[in-house]
Amino acid sequence: MDVANLASQLNAGAILPEGAVILTLMVVLIGELALGRASAARWTPYVAIAGLLLSVGLLCLQWDLTPTLSFLGSFNADKLSIVLRSIIALSTLVTILMSIRYVEQAGSSIGEFMTILLSATVGGMFLCGAEELTMIFVSLETLSIASYLLTGYMKRDPRSNEAALKYLLIGAASSAVFLYGLSLLYGLSGGETHLSAIANALAQGTNHLGLLIALVFVIAGISFKIAAVPFHQWTPDVYEGAPTPVVAFLSVGSKAAGFALAIRLLTQAFPAVVEQWQFIFTALAILSMVLGNVVAIAQTSMKRMLAYSSIGQAGFVMIGFVIGTEAGYASMIFYLLIYLFMNLGAFTCIILFALRTGTDQISEYAGLYQKDPLLTLALSLCLLSLGGIPPLAGFFGKIYLFWAGWQAGAYGLVILGLVTSVISIYYYIRVVKMMVVKEPQEMSDVVLNYPAINWTPLGMRPLQVGLFVTLIATSIAGILSNPLFTLVNNAVVEVPHLQTANAAKTPMAILPTTTPELPAPLVSNSDSTAL
Amino acid sequence: MDLATFPWLTTIILFPLVAAAAIPLIPDPKGQGRPIRWYSLVIGLIDFALIVYTFSTQYDLSSSELQLVEVYNWIPQLGLQWSLGADGLSMPLILLTGFVTTLAILAAWPVTLKPRLFYFLVLAMYGGQIAVFAVQDMLVFFLVWELELLPVYLLLAIWGGYKRQYAATKFILYTAGSSLFILVAALAMAFYGDTITFDMRALGLKEFSLSFELLVYGGLLIAYAVKLPIVPLHTWLPDAHGEATAPVHMLLAGILLKMGGYALIRMNAEMLPQAHALFAPALVILGVVNIIYAALTSFAQRNLKRKIAYSSISHMGFVLIGIASFTDLGLSGAVLQMVSHGLIGASLFFLVGATYDRTHTLILEEMGGVGQKMPKIFAMFTACSMASLALPGMSGFVAELMVFVGFATSDAYSLAFRIIVVFLAAVGVILTPIYLLSMLREIFYGAENKDLTSHEALIDAEPREVFIIACLLVPIIGIGLYPKIITQIYDAKTAQLTLRMRGAVPSLAQAPVPMGSSPAGMTTHFYQAPQL
């Protein structure tokens, strides 16, 4: 095989968006080394933001291309991966917007921070399209190791160190288990590493038990990434100790990558045991929804509360995953997209509050409405959206998940999801109550001494931009969600293995694109005789 | 602009919402909310004028069909449609919403705490509640039903009384928890059969199996029983109503409770007639329990607001009996009772608020003898209490009488059952004057509380308050004297609905509608020869 032939087979254009991120990463790193920390800090964040925007732009350009396998089948740039890669790139983008001021105030270097964050992004983006075992593992580890580093980024803060150590130990263990699962797959399939080839090889094999063990190990690794109960134990401590922007990235970007991995690996490599993995994920979804939402009620720290809430939210997303219909996958991606904005919006708000007051205790938010109406409004809307109150985006996300769940006949899961989302309203609204309802005399001390609102220091403007973008998206992405629905449906429709995974199971997995039949005239007022 | 195809209902719903969004931009130099108050009042009046104009020019009273229909695809992937329409069932309640909300804005004149947020929430509720009565898509119905959660929660929690946060949390958990049933029912009905649709008319045409209908009916009944409320799911109401401030109270009693009754007729009775035929006796019994239990409890309350709150629950029992009567007259009475209680409840709660503003207490023992100092409030309070205890000549009397006669002449129940129910409900009707009159005595006559009556804050009603009560009393007495003024706007719909409900009861399907059951004739007939 000559070089030219090989180059054409690599089809390297598919990873242009990742290339843009890697290039940005290099520029940031070298810029800081060459110009020194202080002077580079003035422009590197904007380079990173521009790079990520470029990457998202390139992803948009790829939307209409026919998906082709690149790198000899290791990387699949289909529409599903494009949407998920965009979610990860966007989450990094918003994370950078909110972290500039945070890192600056902590006295650390923003350049290094962004370098690691961008590495994690590259890992996550590659993971979304990876179709080969080595590729999957390498990109997963890129994401994970960068996440450990980010968690411990506040070097002088003992809680950050503790969080990083806990995350590293549990993460390493789960990576090992995951890798063991992959090695079993490799062995069972007779030395195949491509997911589709594995599926073909396993379809003929009879070693059911071995396959099940591999499945359990792989699911353990994935569940660690998406923090599904009972693989969630690291979450509260890591979320509490890690720098808040990192938590924001972990709860959105890293989770989206985990779900991307789950969709690709489980639907493609394990079609033989669909019922088994759907059963396991049903159990995980039930446990996550119940435990995440119930334990969140008892939290006093905002970050811990959001940690448990994100476990519960992952439980809702899993409903879309386990039902295995096209609408299910579409609703899952739709929810991730909505969740990106509302959760990052909430994190932007708590970063802003922490920057101004230095605390993240829920009780310290008392009476904030009097001092900072904008922050109160933004945080309230994001939390209420997470709770699923209409007409915010989260409501539509949940409706779609429950709609798809009901369509597929998962009545129990849907009802449990509804009940737990009512529970979640209770703890989200507790924060809103704290901020809005408290009288001036009930104000907490930190709110009483709230500093004058000042957007001029370095890094505050990007924070403001991030706040407005997430706030606007959370408020109107639900009401005007029609284009988003079209987007996620298109993303799912053209992925063949999602159809094969569910074709055997659910005969009614059709998209109801037909508008409901109505008793004739629909034209307004045509049947009334105007007086 | 073509008047016939103009999206009137959408405009009526969105106008207050859009106007509410502009509230943060209004300058308020003194921080007392004066410009915001006037702005909201003007918006309220404009929207009410729009409602009146729309219904007077674009609506055909003689038709039982859905009118002013608007259908826009919202999210076609889900089958979600922004579809609106008004028929005889929704139209009186939309009018009531516009009327009571506008008066509530006027009643909120003394509110100076966080005025921007307050008027924002009231205007948001304005649009949301009209949407509840106009929406014809079940999923959107759930959306707008939930939409009112947060405004009410904040209105209770910020501007309420001493235990307001407890009351507000209880409200939101009850309502959010019960509204799950609406979503589950909507999904279940939408996916039943071959087509997926959330359109209420299309759902009404689907042929459900009986067991499915019973399940869905039961779920919806729980959801609406919390709202209406029906004993034993009423416990949030005395707390919420006991803590709410007067204008919020007017909205809660005047409009929010009607959402339950409306939905019960619109969904349970209209869309699930088979199950309704089986559930109807239970509804009647629940209605009787409501009337008697709440009247007795109200009798024992020492807190003025809680007393009136229980009287609201008691009055809602008649709605249940009317819905379950399978007669034109009974159903017509149920709708009239909702409208009438909307007016009477709003006026009573407003007066309770006005009294509280002066006495600063709600405990009956601490009042007494204030009638001398506040003759106007006394007179208005007496008039509204008389309306509430169903004095002939006022709307409450007509509505309750129609329900009584409708149920008594119903051929769906055995004679013994009818006698017992009518007897027990009549006992409830007798209890009402007892507690309302004794309440009046304790506030305005009775042992004089010297500290209170000598207090300088105890001034008589101001013109604004007299105006609000006058506005409410005019329709109350107007309906009482000439009920046709209101029954004629929904007669066509209730007649058609009764036929549909009767069609599901095997013994009634072929039977003619009982004598004297044509409401237009009947309601005037009462006054020619009062027979009861």
Side-chain angles (χ1 to χ4, degrees):
Chain A
M1 195 185 291
D2 59 278
V3 178
N5 192 11
L6 183 68
S8 71
Q9 280 205 350
L10 282 183
N11 193 10
I15 59 155
L16 267 181
E18 283 78 6
V21 178
I22 293 173
L23 193 69
T24 316
L25 192 159
M26 303 282 215
V27 172
V28 171
L29 189 65
I30 294 169
E32 196 182 6
L33 286 177
L35 299 177
R37 195 176 269 195
S39 59
R42 304 221 158 268
W43 57 270
T44 45
Y46 303 101
V47 171
I49 291 165
L52 285 165
L53 282 176
L54 176 69
S55 168
V56 175
L58 288 170
L59 284 168
C60 294
L61 289 180
Q62 286 192 353
W63 181 255
D64 289 326
L65 301 181
T66 18
T68 41
L69 290 178
S70 50
F71 293 96
L72 308 173
S74 308
F75 188 81
N76 189 350
D78 54 7
K79 290 192 175 170
L80 180 70
S81 85
I82 291 179
V83 174
L84 287 165
R85 282 145 84 198
S86 308
I87 291 178
I88 293 172
L90 281 175
S91 76
T92 311
L93 195 132
V94 182
T95 307
I96 289 180
L97 287 176
M98 67 173 96
S99 58
I100 300 172
R101 181 72 206 156
Y102 188 92
V103 177
E104 170 79 19
Q105 197 148 320
S108 304
S109 155
I110 182 77
E112 282 170 36
F113 180 83
M114 284 188 308
T115 313
I116 308 174
L117 186 60
L118 288 171
S119 318
T121 313
V122 170
M125 287 170 79
F126 273 124
L127 191 58
C128 293
E131 290 219 331
E132 197 254 358
L133 294 185
T134 326
M135 176 92 178
I136 287 176
F137 189 70
V138 170
S139 43
L140 182 68
E141 281 305 277
T142 314
L143 173 63
S144 302
I145 293 170
S147 303
Y148 309 145
L149 287 173
L150 285 172
T151 307
Y153 195 69
M154 296 295 138
K155 286 174 275 239
R156 293 175 202 86
D157 182 358
R159 284 194 311 167
S160 177
N161 286 316
E162 181 202 328
L165 191 62
K166 276 186 178 162
Y167 195 20
L168 172 66
L169 290 177
I170 305 178
S174 89
S175 286
V177 171
F178 183 70
L179 188 58
Y180 191 45
L182 294 192
S183 72
L184 279 177
L185 266 187
Y186 178 76
L188 289 171
S189 63
E192 295 290 349
T193 57
H194 285 93
L195 294 184
S196 44
I198 290 174
N200 287 338
L202 290 179
Q204 291 128 29
T206 49
N207 194 343
H208 207 60
L209 184 64
L211 188 58
L212 282 182
I213 294 173
L215 176 72
V216 169
F217 284 179
V218 164
I219 287 183
I222 295 171
S223 308
F224 167 78
K225 229 26 286 107
I226 59 178
V229 178
F231 302 94
H232 69 290
Q233 270 103 347
W234 59 277
T235 325
D237 290 336
V238 170
Y239 278 27
E240 198 179 16
T244 319
V246 175
V247 181
F249 177 75
L250 289 182
S251 71
V252 178
S254 173
K255 256 186 202 187
F259 278 112
L261 172 65
I263 295 179
R264 224 165 261 287
L265 188 55
L266 292 180
T267 58
Q268 223 168 340
F270 292 95
V273 283
V274 170
E275 265 126 54
Q276 281 82 350
W277 69 252
Q278 286 184 339
F279 173 76
I280 296 176
F281 262 92
T282 310
L284 294 176
I286 292 172
L287 288 173
S288 302
M289 283 192 286
V290 172
L291 189 120
N293 285 314
V294 171
V295 179
I297 295 176
Q299 302 306 315
T300 54
S301 149
M302 193 75 182
K303 274 160 86 178
R304 273 186 97 88
M305 189 200 91
L306 282 178
Y308 280 107
S309 111
S310 82
I311 294 173
Q313 301 280 347
F316 296 133
V317 177
M318 276 185 259
I319 295 180
F321 186 53
V322 293
I323 55 177
T325 61
E326 231 168 61
Y329 294 118
S331 69
M332 174 185 172
I333 297 165
F334 181 72
Y335 198 80
L336 283 175
L337 205 56
I338 299 278
Y339 178 70
L340 160 83
F341 290 109
M342 57 194 185
N343 212 37
L344 289 181
F347 273 108
T348 311
C349 293
I350 63 171
I351 286 175
L352 196 53
F353 186 75
L355 285 176
R356 287 179 180 158
T357 62
T359 175
D360 66 347
Q361 290 298 305
I362 293 175
S363 56
E364 301 289 0
Y365 282 78
L368 188 63
Y369 176 72
Q370 270 95 349
K371 297 281 185 163
D372 194 344
L374 173 70
L375 180 58
T376 307
L377 174 79
L379 185 53
S380 302
L381 285 184
C382 291
L383 289 179
L384 293 172
S385 177
L386 283 167
I389 301 266
L392 301 165
F395 173 81
F396 289 87
K398 278 194 183 152
I399 282 284
Y400 195 18
L401 278 172
F402 295 149
W403 187 94
W406 199 275
Q407 185 198 32
Y411 307 124
L413 267 183
V414 171
I415 289 172
L416 186 73
L418 280 167
V419 172
T420 48
S421 61
V422 170
I423 297 175
S424 78
I425 291 178
Y426 176 78
Y427 61 80
Y428 290 125
I429 213 154
R430 204 164 53 114
V431 182
V432 178
K433 184 171 86 180
M434 212 36 113
M435 294 187 294
V436 181
V437 175
K438 293 283 179 188
E439 305 281 328
Q441 61 270 20
E442 295 171 301
M443 241 180 232
S444 68
D445 290 341
V446 293
V447 172
L448 217 50
N449 304 319
Y450 201 71
I453 293 162
N454 182 3
W455 293 106
T456 45
L458 175 72
M460 284 305 266
R461 285 287 162 201
L463 195 60
Q464 196 182 16
V465 171
L467 187 67
F468 277 111
V469 168
T470 50
L471 180 61
I472 291 169
T474 307
S475 318
I476 63 166
I479 299 168
L480 308 176
S481 52
N482 208 344
L484 289 182
F485 271 101
T486 318
L487 181 85
V488 294
N489 279 327
N490 284 344
V492 170
V493 157
E494 293 178 21
V495 180
H497 57 86
L498 295 187
Q499 269 93 36
T500 50
N502 62 54
K505 187 176 164 261
T506 43
M508 64 179 295
I510 30 140
L511 274 181
T513 42
T514 50
T515 46
E517 286 168 29
L518 282 176
L522 285 186
V523 191
S524 58
N525 237 357
S526 62
D527 53 348
S528 72
T529 46
L531 290 177
Chain B
M1 184 175 68
D2 189 359
L3 286 181
T5 56
F6 186 75
W8 289 107
L9 288 174
T10 306
T11 314
I12 290 170
I13 291 169
L14 291 184
F15 178 66
L17 295 176
V18 173
I23 280 185
L25 306 176
I26 298 172
D28 182 19
K30 289 187 193 143
Q32 294 289 307
R34 208 178 135 76
I36 304 165
R37 216 177 292 159
W38 279 105
Y39 171 79
S40 311
L41 185 63
V42 169
I43 298 293
L45 282 172
I46 295 177
D47 207 42
F48 182 55
L50 261 177
I51 295 172
V52 173
Y53 173 77
T54 306
F55 286 137
S56 59
T57 59
Q58 308 293 322
Y59 188 88
D60 175 15
L61 291 181
S62 61
S63 164
S64 68
E65 286 300 306
L66 209 57
Q67 303 179 39
L68 297 161
V69 178
E70 298 167 27
V71 181
Y72 304 102
N73 268 340
W74 188 353
I75 304 173
Q77 288 87 349
L78 295 189
L80 191 65
Q81 285 178 322
W82 178 253
S83 86
L84 302 174
D87 57 11
L89 217 47
S90 11
M91 181 206 163
L93 294 171
I94 294 176
L95 276 172
L96 181 75
T97 307
F99 187 63
V100 172
T101 313
T102 310
L103 284 179
I105 295 173
L106 190 61
W109 230 241
V111 173
T112 49
L113 175 69
K114 299 177 189 167
R116 280 180 205 279
L117 191 59
F118 183 87
Y119 289 102
F120 175 84
L121 294 172
V122 170
L123 287 182
M125 271 180 80
Y126 199 155
Q129 285 170 329
I130 294 177
V132 168
F133 297 126
V135 155
Q136 300 296 328
D137 182 288
M138 201 130 166
L139 208 51
V140 184
F141 178 83
F142 173 72
L143 190 157
V144 288
W145 181 277
E146 292 266 278
L147 198 58
E148 130 300 342
L149 271 187
L150 196 70
V152 176
Y153 171 80
L154 289 176
L155 286 171
L156 282 175
I158 299 179
W159 291 275
Y162 180 65
K163 272 171 63 189
R164 58 186 184 276
Q165 302 200 0
Y166 166 76
T169 308
K170 198 166 175 181
F171 165 81
I172 204 161
L173 290 181
Y174 260 77
T175 317
S178 65
S179 59
L180 298 186
F181 291 101
I182 304 179
L183 181 62
V184 170
L187 290 171
M189 287 161 77
F191 283 110
Y192 191 92
D194 309 326
T195 52
I196 300 172
T197 175
F198 287 99
D199 185 271
M200 288 188 195
R201 279 175 298 168
L203 287 179
L205 296 176
K206 274 192 180 180
E207 297 284 335
F208 300 115
S209 72
L210 182 62
S211 52
F212 178 83
E213 268 199 25
L214 286 174
L215 265 178
V216 173
Y217 192 102
L220 289 176
L221 186 61
I222 294 174
Y224 304 140
V226 168
K227 204 74 189 179
L228 190 63
I230 301 176
V231 178
L233 296 173
H234 66 290
T235 56
W236 64 273
L237 186 134
D239 285 312
H241 284 208
E243 299 304 322
T245 180
V248 179
H249 219 153
M250 291 170 74
L251 294 178
L252 282 177
I255 307 164
L256 250 77
L257 304 189
K258 299 344 169 255
M259 286 162 54
Y262 165 79
L264 210 52
I265 303 179
R266 168 74 74 203
M267 285 168 203
N268 288 27
E270 189 171 6
M271 281 159 38
L272 305 163
Q274 292 182 61
H276 184 66
L278 294 177
F279 261 102
L283 284 188
V284 173
I285 292 167
L286 284 172
V288 171
V289 171
N290 246 28
I291 294 173
I292 293 187
Y293 169 80
L296 287 173
T297 319
S298 173
F299 190 60
Q301 295 301 315
R302 307 313 300 155
N303 177 314
L304 192 51
K305 280 189 176 171
R306 292 180 75 93
K307 203 184 233 329
I308 311 275
Y310 274 108
S311 97
S312 290
I313 303 178
S314 176
H315 284 112
M316 287 297 115
F318 286 99
V319 177
L320 283 177
I321 297 181
I323 295 173
S325 70
F326 291 104
T327 57
D328 208 352
L329 195 61
L331 186 61
S332 187
V335 177
L336 187 60
Q337 174 75 345
M338 290 202 282
V339 176
S340 149
H341 180 264
L343 299 167
I344 298 171
S347 64
L348 268 181
F349 280 125
F350 172 67
L351 283 170
V352 171
T355 313
Y356 175 70
D357 284 344
R358 291 163 171 81
T359 60
H360 297 283
T361 179
L362 288 169
I363 308 300
L364 287 169
E365 275 82 5
E366 294 171 11
M367 297 190 212
V370 299
Q372 291 259 307
K373 293 285 290 284
M374 312 192 292
K376 285 187 210 158
I377 289 199
F378 176 38
M380 294 190 295
F381 217 129
T382 311
C384 296
S385 301
M386 293 303 155
S388 179
L389 60 79
L391 190 76
M394 300 222 184
S395 60
F397 172 75
V398 188
E400 288 176 18
L401 192 62
M402 280 165 77
V403 170
F404 267 122
V405 178
F407 185 77
T409 56
S410 170
D411 45 3
Y413 302 98
S414 70
L415 184 65
F417 185 69
R418 277 185 282 161
I419 291 175
I420 294 169
V421 167
V422 171
F423 175 75
L424 289 175
V427 171
V429 173
I430 295 167
L431 287 174
T432 318
I434 297 180
Y435 66 77
L436 281 177
L437 292 178
S438 70
M439 176 193 79
L440 284 178
R441 177 178 54 77
E442 282 181 278
I443 304 173
F444 294 104
Y445 306 109
E448 199 164 308
N449 182 346
K450 285 287 177 209
D451 288 347
L452 194 62
T453 47
S454 60
H455 199 282
E456 58 187 15
L458 210 65
I459 46 165
D460 206 0
E462 48 182 284
R464 178 183 60 89
E465 291 165 334
V466 177
F467 175 75
I468 292 173
I469 291 300
C471 284
L472 288 163
L473 275 178
V474 167
I476 291 174
I477 297 174
I479 296 171
L481 293 178
Y482 189 63
K484 204 174 166 219
I485 197 170
I486 191 93
T487 54
Q488 67 178 7
I489 66 177
Y490 60 77
D491 259 350
K493 176 68 189 176
T494 47
Q496 176 241 351
L497 196 55
T498 310
L499 275 181
R500 181 170 163 81
M501 276 153 58
R502 293 171 68 85
V505 185
S507 63
L508 302 183
Q510 305 305 322
V513 180
M515 253 295 293
S517 198
S518 134
M522 192 64 180
T523 43
T524 43
H525 180 56
F526 290 147
Y527 294 92
Q528 289 151 5
Q531 66 206 72
L532 281 179

